[in-house]
Amino acid sequence: MDIEELKRQAAEKAVAFIESGMVVGLGTGSTAVHATRAVGRMLQDGSLSDIIAIPTSEATAREAEKWRIPLTTLQNNPIVDITIDGADEIAPNLDVIKGLGGALLREKIVAAASKQLIIVADERKIVPQLGTVSPVPVEVIPFAQRPVAEFLASLSARVVLRVKEGQTFITDEGNIILDCHFDGIEDAAALGQAIRSQPGVVEHGLFLNMAARAIVAASDGITILKRE
Ligand code: 5RP
Protein backbone atom coordinates (compact mmCIF):
# COMPACT_ATOMS: atom_id res chain seq x y z
CA MET A 1 0.00 0.00 0.00
CA ASP A 2 1.40 3.43 -0.78
CA ILE A 3 2.40 5.85 1.97
CA GLU A 4 -0.15 8.47 0.95
CA GLU A 5 -2.92 5.91 1.40
CA LEU A 6 -1.61 5.00 4.88
CA LYS A 7 -1.55 8.68 5.87
CA ARG A 8 -5.15 9.05 4.69
CA GLN A 9 -6.28 5.97 6.59
CA ALA A 10 -4.69 7.12 9.86
CA ALA A 11 -6.16 10.62 9.53
CA GLU A 12 -9.64 9.39 8.68
CA LYS A 13 -9.63 6.98 11.62
CA ALA A 14 -8.81 9.91 13.92
CA VAL A 15 -11.61 12.05 12.55
CA ALA A 16 -14.07 9.47 13.89
CA PHE A 17 -13.21 10.81 17.39
CA ILE A 18 -14.67 14.23 16.48
CA GLU A 19 -18.24 14.88 17.57
CA SER A 20 -20.65 17.54 16.36
CA GLY A 21 -20.39 20.78 18.31
CA MET A 22 -16.68 20.39 19.09
CA VAL A 23 -13.88 22.93 18.78
CA VAL A 24 -11.30 21.11 16.65
CA GLY A 25 -7.58 21.80 16.24
CA LEU A 26 -6.43 21.14 12.67
CA GLY A 27 -2.83 20.04 12.37
CA THR A 28 -0.28 20.75 9.67
CA GLY A 29 1.53 18.51 7.20
CA SER A 30 0.88 15.88 4.58
CA THR A 31 -0.85 13.50 7.02
CA ALA A 32 -2.91 16.02 8.98
CA VAL A 33 -4.22 17.53 5.75
CA HIS A 34 -6.22 14.34 5.20
CA ALA A 35 -7.99 14.98 8.51
CA THR A 36 -8.85 18.54 7.45
CA ARG A 37 -10.26 17.25 4.18
CA ALA A 38 -12.26 14.53 5.95
CA VAL A 39 -13.75 17.08 8.35
CA GLY A 40 -14.67 19.24 5.34
CA ARG A 41 -16.37 16.34 3.57
CA MET A 42 -18.27 15.33 6.71
CA LEU A 43 -19.53 18.88 7.24
CA GLN A 44 -20.68 18.92 3.63
CA ASP A 45 -22.49 15.56 3.80
CA GLY A 46 -24.03 16.41 7.19
CA SER A 47 -22.37 13.62 9.21
CA LEU A 48 -20.78 16.37 11.36
CA SER A 49 -22.26 19.75 12.28
CA ASP A 50 -21.49 22.83 14.39
CA ILE A 51 -17.74 22.30 14.22
CA ILE A 52 -15.45 25.27 14.61
CA ALA A 53 -11.78 24.77 13.94
CA ILE A 54 -8.45 26.31 14.88
CA PRO A 55 -5.80 25.83 12.17
CA THR A 56 -2.20 25.33 13.31
CA SER A 57 -0.70 27.15 10.32
CA GLU A 58 -1.53 29.52 7.50
CA ALA A 59 -1.33 26.55 5.10
CA THR A 60 -3.91 24.63 7.12
CA ALA A 61 -6.12 27.71 7.33
CA ARG A 62 -6.08 27.94 3.53
CA GLU A 63 -6.97 24.25 3.20
CA ALA A 64 -9.80 24.57 5.75
CA GLU A 65 -11.18 27.61 3.93
CA LYS A 66 -11.25 25.60 0.68
CA TRP A 67 -13.49 23.09 2.46
CA ARG A 68 -15.59 25.87 4.04
CA ILE A 69 -14.75 24.70 7.56
CA PRO A 70 -15.70 27.51 9.97
CA LEU A 71 -12.57 28.83 11.68
CA THR A 72 -12.06 30.41 15.07
CA THR A 73 -9.12 31.56 17.18
CA LEU A 74 -7.76 30.73 20.63
CA GLN A 75 -8.80 34.26 21.58
CA ASN A 76 -12.45 33.31 21.02
CA ASN A 77 -12.17 29.62 21.92
CA PRO A 78 -9.27 29.05 24.32
CA ILE A 79 -10.26 25.43 25.00
CA VAL A 80 -10.00 22.98 22.12
CA ASP A 81 -11.88 19.68 22.42
CA ILE A 82 -9.68 17.64 20.14
CA THR A 83 -6.67 18.25 17.91
CA ILE A 84 -5.49 15.93 15.16
CA ASP A 85 -1.92 16.44 14.02
CA GLY A 86 0.98 14.59 12.43
CA ALA A 87 4.45 13.86 13.81
CA ASP A 88 7.98 13.23 12.62
CA GLU A 89 8.85 10.64 15.27
CA ILE A 90 6.69 8.76 17.76
CA ALA A 91 8.34 7.10 20.79
CA PRO A 92 6.79 4.09 22.55
CA ASN A 93 5.45 6.36 25.36
CA LEU A 94 3.80 8.63 22.73
CA ASP A 95 6.24 11.47 23.20
CA VAL A 96 6.79 12.88 19.72
CA ILE A 97 8.98 15.16 17.66
CA LYS A 98 7.12 17.62 15.46
CA GLY A 99 8.02 20.54 13.27
CA LEU A 100 9.60 19.29 10.07
CA GLY A 101 6.63 21.03 8.43
CA GLY A 102 7.67 24.25 10.14
CA ALA A 103 4.52 24.82 12.22
CA LEU A 104 5.70 23.57 15.61
CA LEU A 105 5.03 26.79 17.53
CA ARG A 106 1.35 27.16 16.67
CA GLU A 107 1.00 23.37 16.80
CA LYS A 108 2.31 23.26 20.36
CA ILE A 109 0.14 26.18 21.46
CA VAL A 110 -2.97 24.49 20.05
CA ALA A 111 -1.95 21.08 21.46
CA ALA A 112 -1.48 22.62 24.92
CA ALA A 113 -4.96 24.14 24.71
CA SER A 114 -6.50 20.79 23.70
CA LYS A 115 -8.31 18.33 25.92
CA GLN A 116 -7.10 15.61 23.62
CA LEU A 117 -4.25 15.50 21.08
CA ILE A 118 -4.40 12.66 18.58
CA ILE A 119 -1.28 12.05 16.50
CA VAL A 120 -1.76 10.50 13.07
CA ALA A 121 1.05 8.86 11.13
CA ASP A 122 2.17 6.04 8.94
CA GLU A 123 4.34 3.32 10.44
CA ARG A 124 7.64 4.95 9.36
CA LYS A 125 7.27 7.47 12.20
CA ILE A 126 7.54 4.92 15.01
CA VAL A 127 10.99 4.95 16.64
CA PRO A 128 12.46 3.15 19.66
CA GLN A 129 13.95 6.43 20.94
CA LEU A 130 13.38 10.08 20.00
CA GLY A 131 16.11 11.78 18.01
CA THR A 132 17.21 8.71 16.11
CA VAL A 133 15.76 9.65 12.71
CA SER A 134 14.40 13.19 12.84
CA PRO A 135 16.16 16.34 14.04
CA VAL A 136 14.55 18.38 16.81
CA PRO A 137 13.40 21.62 15.17
CA VAL A 138 13.95 24.69 17.34
CA GLU A 139 12.13 27.92 16.49
CA VAL A 140 14.36 30.92 17.15
CA ILE A 141 14.05 34.70 16.92
CA PRO A 142 16.28 35.70 13.96
CA PHE A 143 18.18 38.25 16.10
CA ALA A 144 19.42 35.36 18.29
CA GLN A 145 20.47 32.94 15.55
CA ARG A 146 24.19 32.68 16.29
CA PRO A 147 24.17 32.54 20.11
CA VAL A 148 21.32 30.04 20.08
CA ALA A 149 23.07 27.91 17.42
CA GLU A 150 26.25 27.89 19.52
CA PHE A 151 24.28 27.00 22.65
CA LEU A 152 22.51 24.12 20.86
CA ALA A 153 25.85 22.83 19.56
CA SER A 154 27.07 22.80 23.18
CA LEU A 155 24.25 20.32 23.88
CA SER A 156 25.88 17.95 21.33
CA ALA A 157 23.51 18.84 18.51
CA ARG A 158 24.59 19.15 14.92
CA VAL A 159 22.77 22.36 14.12
CA VAL A 160 21.46 23.16 10.64
CA LEU A 161 19.65 26.35 9.70
CA ARG A 162 16.49 25.39 7.82
CA VAL A 163 16.50 26.54 4.21
CA LYS A 164 13.65 26.11 1.74
CA GLU A 165 13.96 26.72 -1.99
CA GLY A 166 17.33 28.42 -1.44
CA GLN A 167 16.02 30.86 1.17
CA THR A 168 16.11 30.82 4.96
CA PHE A 169 12.81 29.28 6.02
CA ILE A 170 10.64 31.75 7.93
CA THR A 171 7.79 30.46 10.11
CA ASP A 172 4.25 31.84 10.27
CA GLU A 173 5.42 33.80 13.33
CA GLY A 174 8.38 35.35 11.49
CA ASN A 175 11.09 33.21 13.10
CA ILE A 176 13.82 30.88 11.81
CA ILE A 177 14.23 27.17 12.53
CA LEU A 178 17.44 25.49 13.64
CA ASP A 179 17.21 21.72 13.08
CA CYS A 180 19.15 19.91 15.79
CA HIS A 181 20.43 16.44 14.93
CA PHE A 182 21.21 14.12 17.84
CA ASP A 183 22.25 10.47 17.83
CA GLY A 184 19.25 9.52 19.95
CA ILE A 185 17.99 11.50 22.95
CA GLU A 186 18.47 9.88 26.37
CA ASP A 187 16.45 12.36 28.44
CA ALA A 188 14.00 14.31 26.29
CA ALA A 189 12.51 16.24 29.23
CA ALA A 190 15.92 17.51 30.36
CA LEU A 191 16.87 18.38 26.78
CA GLY A 192 13.58 20.24 26.26
CA GLN A 193 14.10 22.26 29.44
CA ALA A 194 17.68 23.10 28.52
CA ILE A 195 16.68 24.29 25.04
CA ARG A 196 13.86 26.44 26.45
CA SER A 197 16.24 28.08 28.91
CA GLN A 198 18.20 29.83 26.17
CA PRO A 199 17.12 33.42 25.40
CA GLY A 200 15.99 33.69 21.79
CA VAL A 201 14.49 30.21 21.68
CA VAL A 202 10.76 30.49 21.11
CA GLU A 203 9.83 26.79 21.13
CA HIS A 204 11.14 23.34 20.30
CA GLY A 205 9.63 20.34 18.59
CA LEU A 206 9.69 17.93 21.54
CA PHE A 207 6.02 17.34 22.39
CA LEU A 208 6.32 15.45 25.67
CA ASN A 209 3.36 14.14 27.66
CA MET A 210 0.96 15.77 25.23
CA ALA A 211 -0.47 13.10 22.92
CA ALA A 212 -3.39 11.08 24.26
CA ARG A 213 -3.41 8.68 21.32
CA ALA A 214 -1.40 7.89 18.22
CA ILE A 215 -3.15 6.34 15.26
CA VAL A 216 -0.58 4.58 13.13
CA ALA A 217 -1.37 3.05 9.76
CA ALA A 218 0.70 0.18 8.38
CA SER A 219 0.16 -2.03 5.36
CA ASP A 220 -1.21 -4.77 7.64
CA GLY A 221 -3.67 -2.52 9.48
CA ILE A 222 -4.19 0.44 11.80
CA THR A 223 -3.02 0.50 15.42
CA ILE A 224 -4.40 2.90 18.00
CA LEU A 225 -1.80 3.50 20.71
CA LYS A 226 -3.00 5.08 23.96
CA ARG A 227 -0.91 6.95 26.50
CA GLU A 228 -0.72 4.88 29.71
C1 5RP B 1 4.48 20.29 10.95
C2 5RP B 1 4.52 18.99 11.64
C3 5RP B 1 4.01 17.82 10.91
O1 5RP B 1 2.88 17.35 11.58
C4 5RP B 1 5.06 16.77 10.85
O2 5RP B 1 6.20 17.34 10.23
C5 5RP B 1 4.60 15.55 10.06
O3 5RP B 1 4.37 15.91 8.74
P1 5RP B 1 3.96 14.85 7.64
O4 5RP B 1 2.64 14.31 8.03
O5 5RP B 1 3.95 15.64 6.36
O6 5RP B 1 5.04 13.80 7.62
O7 5RP B 1 4.94 18.87 12.77
O8 5RP B 1 5.11 21.29 11.71
Side-chain angles (χ1 to χ4, degrees), residues 7 28-32 85-88 98-104 107 125:
K7 292 177 183 181
T28 297
S30 62
T31 313
D85 206 346
D88 302 304
K98 288 183 52 52
L100 286 196
L104 69 104
E107 287 174 335
K125 305 295 181 66

